[in-house]
Each structure stands twice: as C-alpha cells, then as structure tokens.
Amino acid sequence: MADTDGATGTPAGLADPAALTDPPGARPAGRTDPAGLADPYGPGGPVGTGPYHRVRDGLRAYRLIVGMWVRSTMAYRVSFAMTTFGNLAATSLDFVTLLLMFSRIDRLGGYTLPEVAFLYGLAGTAFGLADLVMGSMDRLGRRVRDGSFDTLLVRPVPVLAQVAADRFALRRLGRVTQGVLVLGYAVAALDISWTPLKVVMIPMTLLSGGAIFGAVFVAGAAFQFVAQDASEVQNSFTYGGNTLLQYPPTVFAKDLVRGVTFVLPLAFVNWLPALYVLGRPYPLDLPVWVAFTPPLVAALCCALAGAAWRVGLRSYRSTGS
C-alpha cells in the first residue's frame, strides 16, 4: 500500500517563491533572477543554462524545500517519533510474514531464510531510499487534477525538484531503518566468502537500486500527465516491484523474470548482484559480468525517465478552469 502523508500544515515560505531567494544583501541591485538559481558562479555571475547548471539548480532547490519540510516536521518531535516508529512497524510486517512462512518450511524456492532476508534487505533499503527522496512524485496526478500544478510552473525553481520535495516525509526513514536491520541480520547469519568485489557490491547495489526505483517514480509521474488518475498504476511498479524483489527469482515464472530483467529492469535492483554475492546462478543463465552493471542500468533508467518527464511536462495544458 502506498505511503500517505499526514495532514500537516504548509511550512512558512513553501508557497512563497520569495522564500527561495538569496540572503538579504547577497544579490546585487537590479538582479532579474530572484532565486539565484540560474547563476552558476554566485551572485552577480553570468547566467548558465546548460545541463550541469540545471541539475545544480534543481539540487539546490530540492535541498531548500526539503529543509523547510524538515523544520516543520521537527517542530512536533513527539509526533515525528511516533509516526516514524509506526512506519517502521508497518513495514516490518512484510518480514514478519516471511518469518511465519519459514516457521513451516525450511526453504523457499531453494533459498534459506538468511538468503531471502538478504534479498529483502537489499530491495527494502534501496526502495526506502528512493521513497524518501522521490516518494512524493505520486502526488502529481492530484495536483494536475485540482490545478495546483500551475503554481509550480510560475516559480523560479525547477518543477521536478518541487514535485519531488513536495510534503517531504522524514518519517519514511522508518522504512530505510527496517531494511538496513534486516540486511544486517542477513549478512551476520550468512556464511559468505567475502572478497573486495563482494564488499563493494553491497553499497553499489543499494545506490544503484535506489536510483532505478527513483527513475520509476519519475517515469510514473510523467505518465500522470496523460492519465491523471494513475497513482495506483505507478504504485504497482514501485511498491509492487519492491514486494516482488523481496522473494527469490526462482519462485516466479521465467517469463516474469525475463520481463523484470529486459523490459522493466528491476532485477538489477537486487536479484543479479545479490545472487553473485550468494554464489547462486541466475535463472536466465546470464553471464557473471551482468551482476556488475546496475550502475549503468541505473544511469540509463534515469536518462529515460528524465526524457519522459520532459515530454510529459511539455504536453501539460493546465486544467482549463
């Protein structure tokens, strides 16, 4: 089920573009760039419009908006602690289900409990990172329907950064924490012959998997420009994909495994690198070097998702009201 945001008030300045401006006195008189977001060299420098500058501007805007929401959240620390714990407890129920399953069986698809926990921890942590950073993308359809998306277009801030940081929920750290705990248990319980490549594979898998899930979030949001009531379709690939990857690939039909390997490459989130670490063969009999390609797949997914976002944004024609 998709993670829903609580009914918190908008922090001061979020609805006001002036809140993203430089500190008083940092901008020279007559400056036409009120937020300073297009300036690659600091106040008063020449304006940059290249890809590097757009990425840098987006990251800066994202950081500022997230900072507003974090300050708003931490104003109610007890509420934050309770919701974070609730998020941790709710996501833990998935692993409790696996524990109950293994109380009746010794292996699932030929995999022991620590091996399944290893797959679960990698997928859960990677998805938790993407959900923390990009989880608000599923709110785009709602903004398109009620016309509030138009307000994002008039701000001197990259639209993607605004949508991604909208109502940033720090409580989603509970999901990341739960995934890390399960992954820690799996690493401690497994008897793995560790090599430098296998050690490096763990952080590489988490970062690449988070980027792949983030690309799916962005592509799903771009689809909502066309199908405005499609958040559940997006969730079927994000939350549903996370659930799929928590189980061994051997429990699924090979056609499904091919689909999440060659069509929607979710297998690169954890299956391929994890099976290399575990010393297990992949069901499709792929060469071993494929386990080291998640960063390349993540870069390709991000590029395609960015292109889809730009196409969707250009096709937007407002609500007409």
Side-chain angles (χ1 to χ4, degrees):
M1 181 179 293
D3 190 16
T4 56
D5 293 315
T8 59
T10 301
L14 186 59
D16 181 10
L20 298 176
T21 58
D22 294 327
R27 187 172 67 255
R31 177 74 178 272
T32 59
D33 177 24
L37 294 174
D39 185 356
Y41 303 107
V47 174
T49 58
Y52 166 77
H53 302 115
R54 289 195 295 269
V55 172
R56 191 210 59 178
D57 296 344
L59 291 175
R60 177 175 182 265
Y62 181 88
R63 176 178 58 83
L64 291 172
I65 298 173
V66 165
M68 296 178 201
W69 282 107
V70 170
R71 289 193 296 273
S72 174
T73 299
M74 299 311 293
Y76 305 93
R77 297 180 184 272
V78 175
S79 174
F80 164 70
M82 293 177 63
T83 54
T84 303
F85 177 77
N87 188 273
L88 172 64
T91 54
S92 298
L93 294 178
D94 290 339
F95 190 67
V96 170
T97 302
L98 286 175
L99 293 177
L100 293 175
M101 190 182 304
F102 274 93
S103 68
R104 298 296 181 182
I105 60 176
D106 295 326
R107 291 178 178 269
L108 178 64
Y111 287 71
T112 63
L113 175 59
E115 290 174 325
V116 174
F118 188 65
L119 296 175
Y120 180 102
L122 287 175
T125 305
F127 177 76
L129 292 173
D131 189 41
L132 176 67
V133 176
M134 307 293 292
S136 296
M137 298 297 296
D138 61 1
R139 299 175 56 85
L140 179 65
R142 219 173 310 169
R143 281 191 170 276
V144 171
R145 289 196 306 273
D146 62 22
S148 61
F149 183 74
D150 292 0
T151 63
L152 306 183
L153 298 176
V154 300
R155 296 176 181 172
V157 179
V159 179
L160 180 58
Q162 295 184 71
V163 177
D166 185 30
R167 302 185 70 84
F168 180 84
L170 193 60
R171 57 186 167 77
R172 290 175 176 152
L173 281 173
R175 182 185 294 275
V176 180
T177 302
Q178 190 258 350
V180 170
L181 291 176
V182 174
L183 181 60
Y185 154 74
V187 170
L190 287 168
D191 184 17
I192 299 175
S193 299
W194 291 102
T195 64
L197 279 178
K198 289 184 178 181
V199 172
V200 172
M201 187 72 77
I202 303 300
M204 181 205 76
T205 300
L206 295 177
L207 295 177
S208 300
I212 292 172
F213 270 126
V216 176
F217 271 111
V218 173
F223 178 68
Q224 293 191 55
F225 283 114
V226 179
Q228 299 173 9
D229 196 13
S231 60
E232 293 306 320
V233 175
Q234 177 179 343
N235 292 337
S236 67
F237 291 100
T238 51
Y239 291 89
N242 176 48
T243 302
L244 173 77
L245 297 176
Q246 292 171 357
Y247 294 89
T250 51
V251 304
F252 302 104
K254 283 197 174 182
D255 287 340
L256 178 60
V257 176
R258 290 189 186 96
V260 296
T261 303
F262 302 112
V263 181
L264 183 66
L266 293 178
F268 292 85
V269 171
N270 71 333
W271 279 353
L272 285 163
L275 297 192
Y276 169 81
V277 174
L278 296 174
R280 291 267 191 168
Y282 194 64
L284 301 183
D285 196 25
L286 297 176
V288 175
W289 58 264
V290 176
F292 297 91
T293 60
L296 299 177
V297 174
L300 177 61
C301 289
C302 289
L304 293 175
W309 172 262
R310 289 189 292 272
V311 170
L313 190 60
R314 283 196 295 266
S315 68
Y316 178 67
R317 294 294 181 269
S318 189
T319 59
S321 60

